[in-house]
Structures are given as structure tokens and as C-alpha cells.
Amino acid sequence: MIVRPLLTLTLLSISTTLFAQQQPRPTRPVKEGEVDNQEITVEKSRKIELPPANRLFNKIPSVKPSAEQRKLTYEFEDRKLTVGDPKINTTVLSPATTQPDETPAYTNYVKVGAGNYSSFLGEGFVGVNALSNLALEGSLRHLSSAIGPVDGKNSAQSDTRARVTGKFLTDAFKFQADLGFDRNAYRFYGYSREYAAQPTFNPESIRQRLNTVNFKLGIENANSDNAIDYSLRTGITNLRDLYNASETDWGTNFTASLGITDKVFALLAADAYVTQRTDGPLVDNRNLFRVKPTFKYVSPVLTITAGLNAVNETDKRAGVNSTRAFPVVDIDVSPVGNIHFFAGVDGDINRNTLRSFLSENKWLAPEITLANTVKSLDLYGGSKGALGGGFSYEGKVSYASYRNFSTFNNTIPDTTKFFVLYDGGTSRVLTISAQLAYAQKDKFRSAIKADFFRYNLDRLAEAWGRPRLAGTWTNSYILNKKLFVTADLYFYEGIKNRNLVSNVTYTLKPIYDANIKIDYFLGKQVSAFVSLNNIFGQNYQRYLYYQQQGLNFLGGISYSF
């Protein structure tokens, strides 16, 4: 979570991942974009916040538990890893929202900063309350490193983001419109040094750029006295890369709640996604429709949710048109105080798109196969609650069965890119999670969390690119309401990838990533910030052959108005 002190400028920290030691690489020239034929089986800101409505959804207490060699059969799948996303995102827990008493509530700001690796940060936000019930806001951010962890500018990267939002509030409803643009430029720098030394090497051939435009509209109930509470959101997103691959995704989400009695509620969630991906000769038209009616019983000691999750998926190119129904049962018992014990069962079809895969691994090869992951059954149970003295905890165990479990591995013969490998059989994943948190009013907060994964795959040799153990420790501290300090530590272990050219399997070194960020108010409208990332200076690899930046820092000033 990004530290964003409430009345002052947000502390933006660049947390660049460091690269672990480089593994032996094939020295043969890489032919970009070529993938060996495989047997494929696809189973068929600061923001202006208008006063929020007292939504019925939030009134109901709920406990939510929380993709070798040619001899192997590769099976491709597209799925959101609900058992734990191993993507490293080195941001930290937001500190308290308390600000210096003497500082006015400035909502607009500009921020500039610089650091090693020739890094530059520029950021700004402007919000206007045009009318008493109308708010407009816009933001712009650019963060770039002209020098990367290897080969100088050949591993440079930059991210640019722009947002415009309008919010209109009446006594009956809240309406919101969002327009956004993202530009991510980077390079496929996971090549061997021998290949880069060849005269035929062209740095332009390793460039990649993702342009994403999205437009969203939303309306929701703002009257807490209404018998029916509702929220409707729809939006369209278009993604294009440097090589004319594109994806257009139109999604609509509806939720509603009706109080039948003081203790019984009827809930409805419905989703509709219409997606088209174009990449070279591939054209995928993939749709998913979901309806999830449930009933919830609520009492001071017992909460029961029961219903059905019906999902239809279609894929015109793969000839898929399948409808599945999954049970939804969740039981929460609170025998004493704020201690809860919960257990349940559910299932779903996890929608995967080109954009969702790129959010996990941006070094994807062209023309990857897309498919959805079926979570056939998920049995879970655990406990959570408040222990007193500022301590809280949560522990849970999940045992889930998947069809088309997705993993990431280097392609062949171009090992600088990745494709998605799917286990088309039945994959079973055991997840054990534990979290302990401590909060001291508005001064100090700390949370430590660990997730252990055990993968029992049917047809893949390993859960390529997925960690066995993931841990985080996040902390935030406020001193005299002027100095904001945040620190975090990330740990990942047990990640494996295979070089299909040499047929060698590598277990990547454990990842330790520690960061600290400081934001200090110099006056009512001026603050200074500095962030130190990857303090251990470990050049780790999250994916094989892609080293991350070592110790890096960013410092600058912000001005609010």
C-alpha cells in the first residue's frame, strides 16, 4: 500500500526490484518471437472523496477468505491466481490519516524527484469542487529510469499515467466517470552478454511499449434508507503494444442487496465481460457472464451465506461454450468478543486476459494462448479477530482444485520472453496463510504476513514462476505529525524456471527486498521525501534472466496548494 499522508503530498517511492545472480545462458543468437510448436490443450492520489453512502453491503458482517522439454505435454491456461499473486509490489502500508493540526487541507499538489539509475519523478494532482455536489479531479505522473540494472539504457524503463475523474452526488445516487491513460515502456533485456556483443545485435529489436486507455462509468445508491442497495459499473479498456497486438475489454458489474428481515438479506452479483484480443494471425473473441445470487443470515454470534455461482464462458476461436454452477457457502461464528471462526466452500471461473497476464509478467512472448482457469472447488477455514491491546490476527487454510492452472516459463528458442504454460489436468493447491498486525492509535502500525503454497500438479513438472513461500512485513510510523516513516520487507522463496534450450531447471535464489521511505513537512505547503529501496542491494531475479535494480534511491520535494 502506498504511503499517502492525508493533507500533504504523497510519498512516492520507487521500489525497483534487484536482480539475482545471472544463470548460465545459451550463447546462440536469439530469434525474436519464435516459439517451438508444442502440444496445446485448452480445457473447454490523492482524491476528492464525496461523502460515501452508508451502503447496505457494508452493514452486513462478512468473512471472506480471503501455468521442459518437448517430451512434456504443455497445456495452456489463462487464470487469475486466487491462491496468491506472487507479483512483487514493494509498496508499504499507508500510515494514519492524521495530519499536522496547523496544516490546511490542501488537496492539490506538484511533486518532483530524482535518484540514481538516472531516475526522474514528476507528479501532480488538481481537484475542483465545481458545485456543492460536483467534484472534478485530474492527475498526471511520470516515473522513469534512463539506466537499468544491466547494459545501461538497454534495460531502461518508464511509466506514464494520466487520470481524469468526475463525481456527481445527489440525495438518491452517486455518479462517477473516469478516463485514464497508461504508457509503459521497457525492454527485453534478459539476453546473454555474448548475444549482445554480436554485431547483429540491434537494441531497437528488444523494445516494448504498452498503451492502455480506459473509460468507466458508475452509479450507485446514496440513500441508506432505500430498501434496495445497488451499484452498477461499466467500462471499456483498450490495450495496444509496440507490435500491433491489441485487446479490447468491455466489463459490466452489478451488485444489489435487499433486506428481507432484520436478519435476512438477499444479495445479487452479476458480471458481463466481452473481450477481443488480436495478435498477428490470432483473433480471440472471449466472453464471460456470471450471476451469483446468495442469501445471508446475520446475528451477533452467527453469520451464514449460501447461494449459487453460475458462470458461462465462451471462446469462439477455441470452440468453448460452457456453463458451470458452483456452490457458495460461508459460515462465520463469533462465540466471544471479536474472535471469529469461519469455514466455507466456493468455486468460480477465473477470467484471464492479455492485460491480466501482463500485470504479472510484462516480458510475455507474442501470440500467447489465452484461456480461463476453472476453480472447481475451494474448501477453506480459519479464524480471525482482535486480541486486544492493538493486536489482531488472521489464519486460514485453503485447499483448492483447479483446471488449467497457469504458470510462466521462458520460451524456446528465445529465452528472453515468456509464455504461459497450463496444467490441463486437475491441479490441487494447498495454501496456508497467517497474519499478525499491531496498531497504536494514529502513530504506529505493523503487519507481518506469510503464505505457504504446495502445488500438486497433474501434467506440469513444476509450478513455473510461482513461489513456494511469500512473506511481507510492513510498518508505518508518524513522529510529531510531521515526520512520516514507512518500512517494508518482502520475501519470496522456491521460484523455479526452466531453460528449454539447455533443458536445465533453475531454482532462483530467495528474494529479500527491504525498503524505507520518509516524508517530512518543511512547512504548511512544502514537504521533502526520500526513499531507499532494495537496501540489501540484492540483484535478485523474479523471473529467470531478469535481474532487478540494486540499491536505489529517490528524493525530492512536493508543494501543495
Side-chain angles (χ1 to χ4, degrees), residues 212-223:
T212 306
V213 179
N214 62 78
F215 178 68
K216 299 178 182 178
L217 295 173
I219 186 171
E220 62 184 53
N221 173 49
N223 188 349

Side-chain angles (χ1 to χ4, degrees), residues 281-508:
L282 296 181
V283 178
D284 292 325
N285 291 285
R286 306 169 59 242
N287 306 324
L288 186 141
F289 306 96
R290 178 187 295 112
V291 59
K292 185 178 179 181
T294 56
F295 290 91
K296 184 182 289 284
Y297 169 80
V298 180
S299 74
V301 176
L302 178 65
T303 300
I304 301 177
T305 302
L308 194 68
N309 185 18
V311 189
N312 170 259
E313 63 168 333
T314 64
D315 188 325
K316 185 176 180 181
R317 180 173 174 270
V320 175
N321 188 345
S322 174
T323 302
R324 297 170 182 258
F326 307 92
V328 176
V329 179
D330 184 272
I331 301 174
D332 180 289
V333 180
S334 180
V336 58
N338 291 321
I339 303 300
H340 293 256
F341 296 93
F342 60 86
V345 57
D346 65 15
D348 204 352
I349 295 181
N350 299 318
R351 194 176 75 99
N352 298 298
T353 63
L354 178 60
R355 185 162 59 100
S356 68
F357 274 137
L358 285 169
S359 70
E360 282 195 74
N361 186 339
K362 62 185 180 181
W363 294 288
L364 293 184
E367 303 177 18
I368 63 168
T369 301
L370 297 178
N372 293 325
T373 297
V374 178
K375 184 173 69 172
S376 305
L377 191 66
D378 184 6
L379 298 170
Y380 62 86
S383 176
K384 71 175 184 178
L387 299 174
F391 286 94
S392 62
Y393 76 96
E394 180 173 358
K396 61 183 177 182
V397 177
S398 165
Y399 187 72
S401 177
Y402 294 93
R403 189 76 168 176
N404 290 342
F405 184 88
S406 65
T407 68
F408 295 99
N409 197 73
N410 307 71
T411 62
I412 182 174
D414 184 356
T415 57
T416 68
K417 297 182 177 65
F418 290 78
F419 51 18
V420 184
L421 302 182
Y422 305 85
D423 190 342
T426 300
S427 304
R428 294 178 173 85
V429 181
L430 172 67
T431 306
I432 302 175
S433 302
Q435 176 171 314
L436 179 65
Y438 173 76
Q440 184 185 33
K441 294 185 178 179
D442 291 331
K443 285 190 175 182
F444 178 71
R445 290 199 291 170
S446 180
I448 185 168
K449 180 180 180 182
D451 298 285
F452 170 78
F453 307 102
R454 180 178 179 181
Y455 308 98
N456 183 7
L457 307 184
D458 190 2
R459 305 180 187 181
L460 289 181
E462 298 285 350
W464 307 115
R466 303 290 183 191
R468 179 177 58 185
L469 181 64
T472 59
W473 184 21
T474 58
N475 304 271
S476 65
Y477 178 68
I478 299 176
L479 178 64
N480 296 330
K481 297 184 179 180
K482 284 186 175 292
L483 181 66
F484 295 77
V485 181
T486 62
D488 58 59
L489 174 65
Y490 289 78
F491 173 75
Y492 290 81
E493 186 271 337
I495 301 173
K496 294 184 179 182
N497 280 122
R498 173 171 288 186
N499 184 319
L500 297 177
V501 176
S502 61
N503 198 27
V504 176
T505 297
Y506 297 99
T507 299
L508 305 185

Side-chain angles (χ1 to χ4, degrees), residues 256-270:
S257 176
L258 172 65
I260 300 176
T261 69
D262 291 340
K263 294 185 177 182
V264 179
F265 301 85
L267 308 176
L268 175 65

